[in-house]
Amino acid sequence: GAGVSQSPSNKVTEKGKDVELRCDPISGHTALYWYRQSLGQGLEFLIYFQGNSAPDKSGLPSDRFSAERTGGSVSTLTIQRTQQEDSAVYLCASSFPFGGPNTGELFFGEGSRLTVL
Amino acid sequence: LAKTTQPISMDSYEGQEVNITCSHNNIATNDYITWYQQFPSQGPRFIIQGYKTKVTNEVASLFIPADRKSSTLSLPRVSLSDTAVYYCLVGDGAGLTGGGNKLTFGTGTQLKVEL
């Protein structure tokens, strides 16, 4: 597709359940980011993938959160044993690496809104 | 990573010029300054990026003083559709450091434009 695609767009789950959120980045983009945005708040960095390098997981809030990126393309963010405080919009972004003519501009998806009851 | 400080909110009227200033006192030599715009229920969108002096594109201008400890996003003749949250980011680039490009968003500035 032309842009970053995220699914599902909305997810309602019960406390304690596991959820998986998917991100399809723009073709050719080697960098992929996951952010979390709670209502009325700024974006909280979660994890960053760049090519075949080890991901930067420094933003993951707990060990219930994990993410993988298969084949350098699609990424899945998994939240185990969801809690009510996990409710937020999860945004994925991709970009070419910064350098040369590339500004490192992040292209964001529409986000996945997670509600934990 | 350099921390940024922006006003929480600003109000303006249609047709006015709006200047949003961001402080980044501990900006590093390799850091670039990037601004994003976010509308409700959408992901942020890139507006402009600069390293020093002034950068202008079809949407905005970015003014960066010589010490680079702050930057100002200038939106000429705003309209109602410019009502959004504006984020200032500071981060290095993979091309410069080889260490990857990780950008951290703050809470942003909520700009409200009225008639």
Side-chain angles (χ1 to χ4, degrees), chain B:
Chain B
L1 296 174
K3 181 179 178 181
T4 60
T5 303
Q6 305 174 231
I8 294 175
S9 64
M10 294 183 68
D11 294 327
S12 184
Y13 294 95
E14 276 202 318
Q16 291 191 331
E17 177 184 82
V18 171
N19 296 307
I20 306 174
T21 297
C22 178
S23 297
H24 28 80
N25 291 318
N26 60 338
I27 188 169
T29 302
N30 291 339
D31 285 343
Y32 279 66
I33 301 157
T34 311
W35 286 79
Y36 284 80
Q37 174 191 56
Q38 185 179 27
F39 297 112
S41 301
Q42 294 185 23
R45 184 182 68 172
F46 175 96
I47 301 176
I48 197 166
Q49 183 182 83
Y51 183 79
K52 61 181 180 180
T53 62
K54 175 184 176 182
V55 179
T56 297
N57 61 23
E58 65 278 6
V59 177
S61 293
L62 179 59
F63 298 92
I64 305 170
D67 65 5
R68 304 201 325 122
K69 293 183 182 301
S70 67
S71 59
T72 298
L73 175 72
S74 182
L75 304 172
R77 299 179 297 282
V78 294
S79 64
L80 293 175
S81 62
D82 292 317
T83 294
V85 177
Y86 292 82
Y87 295 96
C88 165
L89 284 74
V90 173
D92 64 20
L96 294 173
T97 68
N101 183 1
K102 183 172 74 175
L103 299 177
T104 301
F105 289 74
T107 54
T109 298
Q110 172 66 63
L111 172 65
K112 182 179 179 181
V113 180
E114 300 175 288
L115 290 173

Side-chain angles (χ1 to χ4, degrees), chain A residues 33 35 37 56 98 103 106, chain B residues 36 38 49 95 101-103:
Chain A
Y33 299 73
Y35 289 89
Q37 187 169 36
D56 180 345
F98 181 96
T103 62
L106 298 184
Chain B
Y36 284 80
Q38 185 179 27
Q49 183 182 83
N101 183 1
K102 183 172 74 175
L103 299 177

